[in-house]
Amino acid sequence: MDFQIRRATADDASQVALLTRAAYAKWVPVIGREPLPMKADYEAAVRDHRVDLLHVDGVLAGLIEMIPEPQWLLIENLAVAPAFQGRGCARILLAQAEQTAKVLQLTGLRLFTNKQFASNVALYLHHGFAVDREEPFMGGYTVYMSKPFAPGKAPLVAPA
């Protein structure tokens, strides 16, 4: 699998929105509504946040939207196109977030997801995240997760 990661530009906002809608569509019947990432303003997200795009063999396969906070890097959105799910794209994007956070000298990664997205919760647990808490939200539960870094670990590569 030949992959490249690059930072999204304003010209990519519509592609980011389309990929996100496709990636989250499978969850609509599970929770009975569109997940919030399907409704986000991606022109603003690309402008105001760091959105990195994953291309596999020249095709947009996934993205990760990140927001630096004072101590943590918040993963606001991780989306993988349905045709690329199960092929390691999420692992690559999570590694990109980790490297970004380390370059920014942050404490670790944070994210939140819907408890009913069981495969997503399992993916994050598999990649070293821990559940910090759960809170009721829109008839379900939001799972807050974090992955602190070990002190003194230097980044392997700088983010693009």
Side-chain angles (χ1 to χ4, degrees):
M1 182 167 78
D2 177 39
F3 72 90
Q4 296 176 335
I5 296 176
R6 71 168 175 84
R7 187 137 183 204
T9 67
D11 293 339
D12 297 310
S14 63
Q15 291 271 61
V16 168
L18 289 171
L19 186 142
T20 299
R21 288 193 64 76
Y24 282 85
K26 69 182 180 184
W27 299 118
V28 173
V30 174
I31 64 172
R33 62 174 172 79
E34 287 188 344
L36 295 180
M38 293 179 79
K39 301 176 182 183
D41 177 350
Y42 287 103
E43 288 182 16
V46 169
R47 181 186 63 242
D48 300 337
H49 304 154
R50 180 180 177 120
V51 179
D52 287 350
L53 306 177
L54 172 66
H55 287 84
V56 175
D57 299 324
V59 177
L60 180 59
L63 62 93
I64 190 158
E65 177 184 353
M66 301 166 281
I67 304 170
E69 298 177 331
Q71 293 185 329
W72 298 85
L73 184 66
L74 174 65
I75 297 173
E76 177 73 7
N77 182 15
L78 189 156
V80 176
F84 290 92
Q85 292 177 5
R87 295 175 51 189
C89 293
R91 175 185 51 78
I92 293 167
L93 290 164
L94 287 170
Q96 176 71 5
E98 189 164 331
Q99 294 309 314
T100 300
K102 288 178 179 178
V103 166
L104 295 172
Q105 300 180 348
L106 299 173
T107 303
L109 303 174
R110 296 189 323 114
L111 60 82
F112 50 91
T113 190
N114 190 307
K115 185 174 183 174
Q116 290 182 277
F117 301 173
S119 60
N120 289 5
V121 173
L123 170 83
Y124 298 132
L125 290 171
H126 177 75
H127 287 283
F129 285 81
V131 174
D132 297 323
R133 69 185 188 284
E134 296 180 7
E135 292 181 0
F137 181 74
M138 295 182 77
Y141 286 88
T142 299
V143 180
Y144 293 84
M145 305 179 83
S146 63
K147 180 180 180 179
F149 300 144
K153 286 188 108 177
L156 301 176
V157 288

